[in-house]
Amino acid sequence: MKDIVMRLYDEVLNQGKLDVVDEIFAPTFTGTGPARPGPEGIKQLSEHIRSTLTEPHFDVQDMVAEGDKVATRWVLQGTHSGAFFGLPATNRPVEVRACVIFRIENNQIAEFWPVIDTSSLRAA
């Protein structure tokens, strides 16, 4: 299960390989936070991140799996080049921290629940 979640961070979010989304997300995906339902919502979220941060990089610092759940703690770094979390571009390096819990079903991400620490959004 951890490998499925790591593909999200490594291939989709860090590398921008949107075709991977259809492999790792269930067609019925739902979640709270900034993503809309379904794989298309994840593609839109990834595109938004990549359009507001130059060279975004998710660094997964912890990952724990139990039952059908995977929990991650990560730091996102990039250059703030567009409106991000409602903040106008600063063109400076930034970082934001978050924890996300994923539910895996049939080897795909079926749900997730992010807790984004917007107070950590700061110049790196």
Side-chain angles (χ1 to χ4, degrees), residues 39-82:
E40 289 304 314
I42 297 301
K43 291 176 186 177
Q44 290 173 2
L45 177 61
S46 178
E47 288 174 333
H48 176 71
I49 291 168
R50 298 184 71 75
S51 72
T52 61
L53 294 178
T54 304
E55 297 182 18
H57 180 76
F58 284 80
D59 178 18
V60 176
Q61 298 187 327
D62 288 303
M63 184 178 291
V64 178
E66 183 174 333
D68 63 350
K69 307 275 189 329
V70 176
T72 61
R73 181 177 66 87
W74 49 257
V75 175
L76 167 60
Q77 295 180 319
T79 300
H80 186 194
S81 56

Tab-separated table of all heavy atoms in Angstrom, residues 39-82:
chain	number	residue	atom	x	y	z
A	39	PRO	N	-10.467	10.926	-10.110
A	39	PRO	CA	-9.091	11.145	-10.576
A	39	PRO	C	-8.885	12.512	-11.221
A	39	PRO	O	-7.810	13.105	-11.083
A	39	PRO	CB	-8.879	10.010	-11.586
A	39	PRO	CG	-9.809	8.929	-11.128
A	39	PRO	CD	-11.017	9.656	-10.605
A	40	GLU	N	-9.903	13.042	-11.893
A	40	GLU	CA	-9.746	14.356	-12.528
A	40	GLU	C	-9.483	15.445	-11.492
A	40	GLU	O	-8.752	16.405	-11.755
A	40	GLU	CB	-10.966	14.705	-13.381
A	40	GLU	CG	-11.077	13.869	-14.639
A	40	GLU	CD	-9.839	13.930	-15.529
A	40	GLU	OE1	-9.328	15.042	-15.775
A	40	GLU	OE2	-9.379	12.863	-15.972
A	41	GLY	N	-10.075	15.305	-10.312
A	41	GLY	CA	-9.836	16.267	-9.247
A	41	GLY	C	-8.384	16.264	-8.798
A	41	GLY	O	-7.810	17.322	-8.507
A	42	ILE	N	-7.777	15.081	-8.763
A	42	ILE	CA	-6.361	14.968	-8.385
A	42	ILE	C	-5.485	15.578	-9.474
A	42	ILE	O	-4.503	16.262	-9.181
A	42	ILE	CB	-5.976	13.497	-8.120
A	42	ILE	CG1	-6.771	12.951	-6.925
A	42	ILE	CG2	-4.487	13.357	-7.897
A	42	ILE	CD1	-6.550	13.718	-5.627
A	43	LYS	N	-5.843	15.353	-10.716
A	43	LYS	CA	-5.075	15.953	-11.818
A	43	LYS	C	-5.127	17.475	-11.732
A	43	LYS	O	-4.108	18.152	-11.901
A	43	LYS	CB	-5.621	15.475	-13.169
A	43	LYS	CG	-5.344	14.010	-13.435
A	43	LYS	CD	-6.000	13.570	-14.732
A	43	LYS	CE	-5.868	12.075	-14.944
A	43	LYS	NZ	-6.561	11.635	-16.167
A	44	GLN	N	-6.309	18.022	-11.457
A	44	GLN	CA	-6.443	19.472	-11.324
A	44	GLN	C	-5.629	19.999	-10.152
A	44	GLN	O	-4.983	21.048	-10.259
A	44	GLN	CB	-7.916	19.850	-11.164
A	44	GLN	CG	-8.735	19.648	-12.409
A	44	GLN	CD	-10.226	19.861	-12.166
A	44	GLN	OE1	-10.664	20.195	-11.061
A	44	GLN	NE2	-11.020	19.656	-13.210
A	45	LEU	N	-5.646	19.282	-9.038
A	45	LEU	CA	-4.865	19.690	-7.869
A	45	LEU	C	-3.379	19.694	-8.193
A	45	LEU	O	-2.658	20.643	-7.873
A	45	LEU	CB	-5.150	18.768	-6.682
A	45	LEU	CG	-4.338	19.036	-5.417
A	45	LEU	CD1	-4.609	20.429	-4.874
A	45	LEU	CD2	-4.643	17.965	-4.380
A	46	SER	N	-2.898	18.639	-8.847
A	46	SER	CA	-1.484	18.566	-9.221
A	46	SER	C	-1.107	19.707	-10.160
A	46	SER	O	-0.055	20.343	-9.982
A	46	SER	CB	-1.184	17.215	-9.887
A	46	SER	OG	0.158	17.151	-10.294
A	47	GLU	N	-1.953	19.973	-11.136
A	47	GLU	CA	-1.675	21.070	-12.068
A	47	GLU	C	-1.657	22.412	-11.347
A	47	GLU	O	-0.831	23.279	-11.651
A	47	GLU	CB	-2.704	21.073	-13.199
A	47	GLU	CG	-2.515	19.927	-14.164
A	47	GLU	CD	-3.617	19.835	-15.220
A	47	GLU	OE1	-4.762	20.288	-14.940
A	47	GLU	OE2	-3.335	19.317	-16.311
A	48	HIS	N	-2.562	22.586	-10.385
A	48	HIS	CA	-2.592	23.838	-9.624
A	48	HIS	C	-1.292	24.019	-8.838
A	48	HIS	O	-0.699	25.100	-8.864
A	48	HIS	CB	-3.787	23.874	-8.676
A	48	HIS	CG	-3.804	25.086	-7.806
A	48	HIS	ND1	-4.085	26.347	-8.283
A	48	HIS	CD2	-3.520	25.236	-6.494
A	48	HIS	CE1	-3.993	27.216	-7.299
A	48	HIS	NE2	-3.647	26.571	-6.201
A	49	ILE	N	-0.859	22.975	-8.163
A	49	ILE	CA	0.389	23.060	-7.387
A	49	ILE	C	1.554	23.407	-8.303
A	49	ILE	O	2.351	24.288	-8.008
A	49	ILE	CB	0.655	21.742	-6.632
A	49	ILE	CG1	-0.373	21.573	-5.507
A	49	ILE	CG2	2.090	21.707	-6.077
A	49	ILE	CD1	-0.390	20.193	-4.890
A	50	ARG	N	1.618	22.726	-9.448
A	50	ARG	CA	2.737	22.944	-10.366
A	50	ARG	C	2.659	24.316	-11.058
A	50	ARG	O	3.666	24.822	-11.528
A	50	ARG	CB	2.817	21.811	-11.374
A	50	ARG	CG	3.080	20.452	-10.692
A	50	ARG	CD	3.247	19.333	-11.670
A	50	ARG	NE	4.514	19.444	-12.378
A	50	ARG	CZ	5.703	19.155	-11.857
A	50	ARG	NH1	5.794	18.758	-10.617
A	50	ARG	NH2	6.791	19.272	-12.581
A	51	SER	N	1.465	24.926	-11.084
A	51	SER	CA	1.345	26.251	-11.695
A	51	SER	C	1.594	27.375	-10.689
A	51	SER	O	1.818	28.517	-11.089
A	51	SER	CB	-0.031	26.431	-12.344
A	51	SER	OG	-1.035	26.560	-11.360
A	52	THR	N	1.539	27.068	-9.408
A	52	THR	CA	1.738	28.100	-8.388
A	52	THR	C	3.087	28.005	-7.692
A	52	THR	O	3.506	28.962	-7.041
A	52	THR	CB	0.624	28.051	-7.325
A	52	THR	OG1	0.645	26.784	-6.683
A	52	THR	CG2	-0.733	28.298	-7.958
A	53	LEU	N	3.729	26.856	-7.817
A	53	LEU	CA	5.066	26.668	-7.246
A	53	LEU	C	6.012	26.205	-8.351
A	53	LEU	O	5.747	25.210	-9.020
A	53	LEU	CB	5.062	25.621	-6.133
A	53	LEU	CG	4.292	25.949	-4.861
A	53	LEU	CD1	4.361	24.780	-3.897
A	53	LEU	CD2	4.827	27.207	-4.214
A	54	THR	N	7.095	26.912	-8.527
A	54	THR	CA	8.111	26.493	-9.482
A	54	THR	C	8.936	25.390	-8.831
A	54	THR	O	9.345	25.524	-7.681
A	54	THR	CB	9.016	27.686	-9.857
A	54	THR	OG1	8.188	28.732	-10.361
A	54	THR	CG2	10.043	27.289	-10.899
A	55	GLU	N	9.127	24.295	-9.561
A	55	GLU	CA	9.871	23.137	-9.088
A	55	GLU	C	9.397	22.654	-7.717
A	55	GLU	O	10.179	22.547	-6.771
A	55	GLU	CB	11.371	23.435	-9.065
A	55	GLU	CG	11.921	23.719	-10.446
A	55	GLU	CD	13.423	23.973	-10.449
A	55	GLU	OE1	14.107	23.602	-9.472
A	55	GLU	OE2	13.906	24.537	-11.446
A	56	PRO	N	8.091	22.331	-7.599
A	56	PRO	CA	7.598	21.835	-6.314
A	56	PRO	C	8.203	20.473	-5.990
A	56	PRO	O	8.418	19.651	-6.883
A	56	PRO	CB	6.089	21.716	-6.533
A	56	PRO	CG	5.942	21.489	-8.000
A	56	PRO	CD	7.061	22.290	-8.633
A	57	HIS	N	8.482	20.257	-4.721
A	57	HIS	CA	9.016	18.959	-4.298
A	57	HIS	C	8.394	18.556	-2.969
A	57	HIS	O	8.500	19.284	-1.978
A	57	HIS	CB	10.531	18.979	-4.165
A	57	HIS	CG	11.060	17.650	-3.736
A	57	HIS	ND1	11.156	16.578	-4.595
A	57	HIS	CD2	11.479	17.200	-2.536
A	57	HIS	CE1	11.628	15.530	-3.945
A	57	HIS	NE2	11.825	15.880	-2.685
A	58	PHE	N	7.719	17.407	-2.985
A	58	PHE	CA	7.159	16.821	-1.775
A	58	PHE	C	8.196	15.871	-1.187
A	58	PHE	O	8.643	14.936	-1.862
A	58	PHE	CB	5.888	16.026	-2.092
A	58	PHE	CG	4.694	16.881	-2.344
A	58	PHE	CD1	4.502	17.486	-3.588
A	58	PHE	CD2	3.757	17.097	-1.355
A	58	PHE	CE1	3.392	18.276	-3.826
A	58	PHE	CE2	2.639	17.890	-1.591
A	58	PHE	CZ	2.457	18.482	-2.829
A	59	ASP	N	8.575	16.110	0.043
A	59	ASP	CA	9.510	15.249	0.767
A	59	ASP	C	8.714	14.507	1.840
A	59	ASP	O	8.315	15.106	2.847
A	59	ASP	CB	10.612	16.094	1.405
A	59	ASP	CG	11.605	15.271	2.212
A	59	ASP	OD1	11.665	14.036	2.021
A	59	ASP	OD2	12.316	15.874	3.042
A	60	VAL	N	8.434	13.227	1.596
A	60	VAL	CA	7.687	12.419	2.557
A	60	VAL	C	8.646	12.050	3.686
A	60	VAL	O	9.626	11.342	3.470
A	60	VAL	CB	7.081	11.171	1.894
A	60	VAL	CG1	6.387	10.293	2.928
A	60	VAL	CG2	6.111	11.575	0.791
A	61	GLN	N	8.351	12.534	4.872
A	61	GLN	CA	9.246	12.335	6.008
A	61	GLN	C	8.859	11.150	6.869
A	61	GLN	O	9.711	10.562	7.520
A	61	GLN	CB	9.322	13.616	6.825
A	61	GLN	CG	9.890	14.745	5.971
A	61	GLN	CD	10.148	16.003	6.745
A	61	GLN	OE1	9.442	16.326	7.697
A	61	GLN	NE2	11.171	16.727	6.331
A	62	ASP	N	7.572	10.809	6.879
A	62	ASP	CA	7.099	9.635	7.617
A	62	ASP	C	5.955	9.007	6.848
A	62	ASP	O	5.165	9.712	6.207
A	62	ASP	CB	6.567	10.024	9.005
A	62	ASP	CG	7.661	10.412	9.970
A	62	ASP	OD1	8.567	9.589	10.195
A	62	ASP	OD2	7.613	11.548	10.479
A	63	MET	N	5.875	7.673	6.931
A	63	MET	CA	4.771	6.944	6.332
A	63	MET	C	4.499	5.718	7.190
A	63	MET	O	5.423	4.965	7.509
A	63	MET	CB	5.101	6.527	4.898
A	63	MET	CG	3.934	5.855	4.199
A	63	MET	SD	4.289	5.396	2.483
A	63	MET	CE	4.384	6.989	1.721
A	64	VAL	N	3.227	5.544	7.567
A	64	VAL	CA	2.820	4.428	8.409
A	64	VAL	C	1.597	3.797	7.765
A	64	VAL	O	0.709	4.507	7.289
A	64	VAL	CB	2.464	4.921	9.837
A	64	VAL	CG1	1.990	3.775	10.706
A	64	VAL	CG2	3.653	5.629	10.473
A	65	ALA	N	1.550	2.466	7.745
A	65	ALA	CA	0.405	1.767	7.176
A	65	ALA	C	-0.158	0.781	8.190
A	65	ALA	O	0.599	0.107	8.900
A	65	ALA	CB	0.812	1.027	5.903
A	66	GLU	N	-1.477	0.736	8.244
A	66	GLU	CA	-2.162	-0.232	9.092
A	66	GLU	C	-3.546	-0.479	8.511
A	66	GLU	O	-4.245	0.481	8.149
A	66	GLU	CB	-2.290	0.295	10.523
A	66	GLU	CG	-2.922	-0.718	11.453
A	66	GLU	CD	-2.920	-0.278	12.897
A	66	GLU	OE1	-2.038	0.506	13.292
A	66	GLU	OE2	-3.823	-0.704	13.628
A	67	GLY	N	-3.921	-1.737	8.401
A	67	GLY	CA	-5.212	-2.071	7.810
A	67	GLY	C	-5.269	-1.559	6.387
A	67	GLY	O	-4.368	-1.811	5.586
A	68	ASP	N	-6.307	-0.812	6.071
A	68	ASP	CA	-6.450	-0.267	4.719
A	68	ASP	C	-6.047	1.207	4.649
A	68	ASP	O	-6.367	1.897	3.693
A	68	ASP	CB	-7.876	-0.457	4.210
A	68	ASP	CG	-8.926	0.296	5.021
A	68	ASP	OD1	-8.586	0.833	6.105
A	68	ASP	OD2	-10.095	0.346	4.589
A	69	LYS	N	-5.324	1.683	5.672
A	69	LYS	CA	-4.942	3.095	5.739
A	69	LYS	C	-3.427	3.288	5.654
A	69	LYS	O	-2.653	2.472	6.124
A	69	LYS	CB	-5.413	3.729	7.053
A	69	LYS	CG	-6.879	3.559	7.381
A	69	LYS	CD	-7.718	4.593	6.743
A	69	LYS	CE	-9.162	4.634	7.184
A	69	LYS	NZ	-9.807	3.438	7.590
A	70	VAL	N	-3.036	4.396	5.035
A	70	VAL	CA	-1.637	4.832	4.983
A	70	VAL	C	-1.629	6.286	5.434
A	70	VAL	O	-2.417	7.095	4.926
A	70	VAL	CB	-1.037	4.724	3.566
A	70	VAL	CG1	0.377	5.268	3.529
A	70	VAL	CG2	-1.057	3.280	3.086
A	71	ALA	N	-0.751	6.613	6.377
A	71	ALA	CA	-0.621	7.990	6.849
A	71	ALA	C	0.754	8.518	6.454
A	71	ALA	O	1.753	7.802	6.546
A	71	ALA	CB	-0.791	8.050	8.366
A	72	THR	N	0.775	9.759	5.997
A	72	THR	CA	2.039	10.388	5.619
A	72	THR	C	2.183	11.730	6.331
A	72	THR	O	1.196	12.376	6.683
A	72	THR	CB	2.129	10.643	4.105
A	72	THR	OG1	1.071	11.527	3.715
A	72	THR	CG2	2.045	9.355	3.310
A	73	ARG	N	3.438	12.124	6.510
A	73	ARG	CA	3.789	13.467	6.977
A	73	ARG	C	4.819	13.971	5.988
A	73	ARG	O	5.799	13.281	5.706
A	73	ARG	CB	4.375	13.421	8.384
A	73	ARG	CG	4.742	14.799	8.937
A	73	ARG	CD	5.256	14.706	10.378
A	73	ARG	NE	6.504	13.993	10.469
A	73	ARG	CZ	7.713	14.548	10.325
A	73	ARG	NH1	7.834	15.830	10.060
A	73	ARG	NH2	8.803	13.815	10.431
A	74	TRP	N	4.578	15.146	5.428
A	74	TRP	CA	5.482	15.631	4.385
A	74	TRP	C	5.726	17.130	4.484
A	74	TRP	O	5.014	17.856	5.162
A	74	TRP	CB	4.981	15.280	2.992
A	74	TRP	CG	3.548	15.594	2.663
A	74	TRP	CD1	2.512	14.700	2.600
A	74	TRP	CD2	2.977	16.869	2.313
A	74	TRP	NE1	1.347	15.349	2.241
A	74	TRP	CE2	1.606	16.679	2.057
A	74	TRP	CE3	3.494	18.155	2.197
A	74	TRP	CZ2	0.749	17.707	1.690
A	74	TRP	CZ3	2.643	19.205	1.840
A	74	TRP	CH2	1.282	18.957	1.589
A	75	VAL	N	6.767	17.537	3.750
A	75	VAL	CA	7.091	18.946	3.577
A	75	VAL	C	7.118	19.208	2.076
A	75	VAL	O	7.736	18.463	1.320
A	75	VAL	CB	8.475	19.298	4.186
A	75	VAL	CG1	8.839	20.746	3.891
A	75	VAL	CG2	8.495	19.018	5.676
A	76	LEU	N	6.414	20.258	1.659
A	76	LEU	CA	6.417	20.684	0.267
A	76	LEU	C	7.270	21.940	0.173
A	76	LEU	O	7.064	22.882	0.938
A	76	LEU	CB	4.990	20.983	-0.195
A	76	LEU	CG	4.818	21.736	-1.524
A	76	LEU	CD1	5.427	20.956	-2.687
A	76	LEU	CD2	3.347	22.037	-1.763
A	77	GLN	N	8.213	21.946	-0.757
A	77	GLN	CA	9.049	23.118	-0.989
A	77	GLN	C	8.978	23.507	-2.458
A	77	GLN	O	8.787	22.657	-3.321
A	77	GLN	CB	10.499	22.837	-0.612
A	77	GLN	CG	10.670	22.579	0.864
A	77	GLN	CD	12.100	22.300	1.236
A	77	GLN	OE1	12.805	21.590	0.534
A	77	GLN	NE2	12.524	22.849	2.362
A	78	GLY	N	9.117	24.777	-2.717
A	78	GLY	CA	9.135	25.277	-4.082
A	78	GLY	C	9.272	26.785	-4.057
A	78	GLY	O	9.361	27.398	-2.989
A	79	THR	N	9.296	27.370	-5.243
A	79	THR	CA	9.334	28.825	-5.348
A	79	THR	C	7.912	29.312	-5.590
A	79	THR	O	7.245	28.861	-6.524
A	79	THR	CB	10.271	29.273	-6.486
A	79	THR	OG1	11.579	28.775	-6.205
A	79	THR	CG2	10.311	30.790	-6.598
A	80	HIS	N	7.457	30.216	-4.774
A	80	HIS	CA	6.079	30.707	-4.769
A	80	HIS	C	5.864	31.648	-5.958
A	80	HIS	O	5.988	32.853	-5.838
A	80	HIS	CB	5.852	31.409	-3.429
A	80	HIS	CG	4.458	31.850	-3.200
A	80	HIS	ND1	4.129	32.733	-2.205
A	80	HIS	CD2	3.303	31.547	-3.815
A	80	HIS	CE1	2.836	32.957	-2.224
A	80	HIS	NE2	2.301	32.247	-3.189
A	81	SER	N	5.481	31.072	-7.102
A	81	SER	CA	5.390	31.831	-8.345
A	81	SER	C	3.960	32.160	-8.777
A	81	SER	O	3.755	32.780	-9.815
A	81	SER	CB	6.106	31.078	-9.467
A	81	SER	OG	5.564	29.779	-9.597
A	82	GLY	N	2.965	31.740	-8.004
A	82	GLY	CA	1.570	32.030	-8.319
A	82	GLY	C	0.746	32.016	-7.044
A	82	GLY	O	1.246	31.633	-5.988
